Amino acid sequence: AASAAPPLPSPTPPASTAQPSAAPPPALALGARTHASPSVRLLARELGVDLTKVSASGPNGRILQEDVNAYVKAVMTASRAPAAAAPAALGGGLDLLPWPKVDFAKFGPVEVKPLARIKKISAQNLARNWVMIPAVTYHEDADITDLEAFRVAINKENERSGLKITMLAFLIKACAFALKKFPEFNSSLDGDNLILKQYVHIAFAADTPHGLVVPVIKDADRKTVSQIAVESGELARKARDGKLTPGEMSGACFTISSLGGIGGTYFSPIINAPEVAILGVNKSVTKPVWNGHEFAPRLILPLSLTADHRVIDGALATRFNVHLAQLLADLRRVLL
Ligand code: CAO
């Protein structure tokens, strides 16, 4: 299940409120470019600092010399802290074996291809989220027969205007509604506190030639499905062109990772910390469903919800899933 994850690639803009205070400052959001003067770049090179991991405090996101110094200081502090706080021998550390070093060329020809910058940042976020979040994935099927018929009819009506409503837009709207009903899903852990957000910003994973990025639809609860369709289309286009700004990739409360245009049945997306849940969606298929008298063909959308068990237990997660499936089965429920 982990293999398909990523969502979220957690291309998580890493500003996690749950990070220990000794941790290095948050890195740049995915897609951001580093701005720094030649002297600061030289200093970073001398100290072996990767500028993409340094928080900028200068104008227009420029990285200053003191930012590099602060980063180095934080790394040094963090590297001492865990040893003192949680010695591996006491079970607090992961105490993992080193990564296997294999000379693959001994077994046949190979090609070495450096990871793209987005993939490198995603990898670090994913690894942290994978080991730090006790996550469980819950599956549900939503009957979207009527919703898809409605979507097709509306798109036909709007053919001339060019407005195309996607299933993703309906999913974002339904999730926004469900997040308001289940506020724990719209929260973040901050130490012993749960931060409940009174805004509903929903991110969606967008596949691009450079890697996965996660643009955010702000205030999705206050937008119409048409507005969400237009905005998500524009954000996905910007993502593909590598033009998303850090602001367009930050502030998310919840993420949707839709593989519906590709296929699949179910998967286990990785939560994008400091969010507490993520919804994975695969391709809808027509299945025979017993209606009490006979098997009827229904269009079924597979949902995979991964939730942080520290905040959301199995009963709550299943209630959320059932509610979401009911909304998608009959979106008139959002009017109630
Ligand atoms: N079931 C069946 N068909 C679906 C579907 C679903 N759940 N979701 C989309 N489709 C269809 C669409 O209707 C569209 O068909 P038409 O061209 O006939 O209208 C086709 O699949 C392509 O859709 P799409 O995926 O390009 O568009 P979208 O609006 O649904 O999604 C976006 C936009 C940005 C989410 C998508 O382009 C993308 O990048 N998806 C990948 C995300 C990803 O990689 N997630 C995994 C992260 S974990 O590693």
Side-chain angles (χ1 to χ4, degrees):
S3 58
L8 304 195
S10 179
T12 312
S16 167
T17 47
Q19 282 178 346
S21 54
L28 281 173
L30 275 190
R33 290 194 180 83
T34 56
H35 296 296
S37 66
S39 63
V40 170
R41 288 186 187 282
L42 180 65
L43 174 69
R45 260 200 306 281
E46 283 171 359
L47 295 174
V49 169
D50 176 356
L51 280 178
T52 61
K53 296 192 187 135
V54 177
S55 287
S57 66
N60 299 323
R62 182 168 284 269
I63 297 171
L64 308 177
Q65 184 178 330
E66 49 264 41
D67 297 331
V68 176
N69 291 338
Y71 177 82
V72 171
K73 191 170 169 202
V75 169
M76 298 302 291
T77 313
S79 67
R80 284 195 299 271
L90 297 178
L94 284 176
D95 201 14
L96 299 172
L97 288 174
W99 193 258
K101 194 92 188 119
V102 177
D103 178 7
F104 299 103
K106 270 200 332 206
F107 305 103
V110 295
E111 180 199 343
V112 178
K113 190 172 165 198
L115 286 180
R117 202 176 68 85
I118 290 183
K119 286 217 163 157
K120 279 200 273 183
I121 299 175
S122 295
Q124 291 174 331
N125 282 289
L126 286 167
R128 178 200 57 203
N129 299 345
W130 181 254
V131 297
M132 288 185 73
I133 304 175
V136 180
T137 303
Y138 307 84
H139 301 292
E140 183 62 89
D141 286 341
D143 183 335
I144 58 162
T145 314
D146 298 340
L147 183 59
E148 178 61 6
F150 177 64
R151 191 183 78 88
V152 169
I154 289 293
N155 284 343
K156 185 108 193 99
E157 258 176 46
N158 291 334
E159 218 162 21
R160 286 193 169 196
S161 72
L163 171 67
K164 187 176 168 197
I165 310 269
T166 56
M167 187 48 72
L168 180 67
F170 280 117
L171 282 164
I172 291 173
K173 189 70 197 170
C175 285
F177 195 78
L179 289 178
K180 296 204 87 155
K181 186 171 162 82
F182 295 91
E184 291 89 346
F185 281 79
N186 201 30
S187 75
S188 284
L189 268 178
D190 184 10
D192 288 340
N193 292 326
L194 197 60
I195 312 293
L196 294 150
K197 295 154 201 169
Q198 283 163 18
Y199 51 85
V200 180
H201 301 342
I202 298 186
F204 63 96
D207 197 19
T208 80
H210 329 284
L212 201 66
V213 292
V214 193
V216 182
I217 304 278
K218 304 266 165 60
D219 299 313
D221 55 324
R222 294 200 242 138
K223 290 178 178 159
T224 64
V225 175
S226 308
Q227 285 171 324
I228 294 172
V230 171
E231 193 177 329
S232 57
E234 278 165 8
L235 288 170
R237 242 187 320 280
K238 282 176 98 171
R240 278 193 291 277
D241 296 343
K243 298 221 167 103
L244 284 175
T245 63
E248 288 168 325
M249 291 184 284
S250 53
C253 309
F254 180 85
T255 298
I256 298 176
S257 175
S258 174
L259 295 170
I262 304 170
T265 51
Y266 302 91
F267 69 115
S268 285
I270 295 177
I271 295 170
N272 213 7
E275 295 158 36
V276 294
I278 175 168
L279 180 73
V281 181
N282 287 101
K283 192 177 176 68
S284 55
V285 284
T286 302
K287 291 186 176 176
V289 176
W290 185 251
N291 65 10
H293 315 285
E294 58 187 353
F295 282 103
R298 305 295 296 176
L299 187 63
I300 302 298
L301 181 71
L303 306 175
S304 305
L305 176 77
T306 301
D308 183 337
H309 214 304
R310 293 171 299 180
V311 180
I312 294 158
D313 62 23
L316 190 60
T318 304
R319 281 193 191 102
F320 181 94
N321 256 353
V322 167
H323 181 64
L324 183 62
Q326 284 172 341
L327 290 175
L328 293 168
D330 190 344
L331 216 55
R332 286 176 305 180
R333 286 173 184 270
V334 302
L335 302 171
L336 298 175

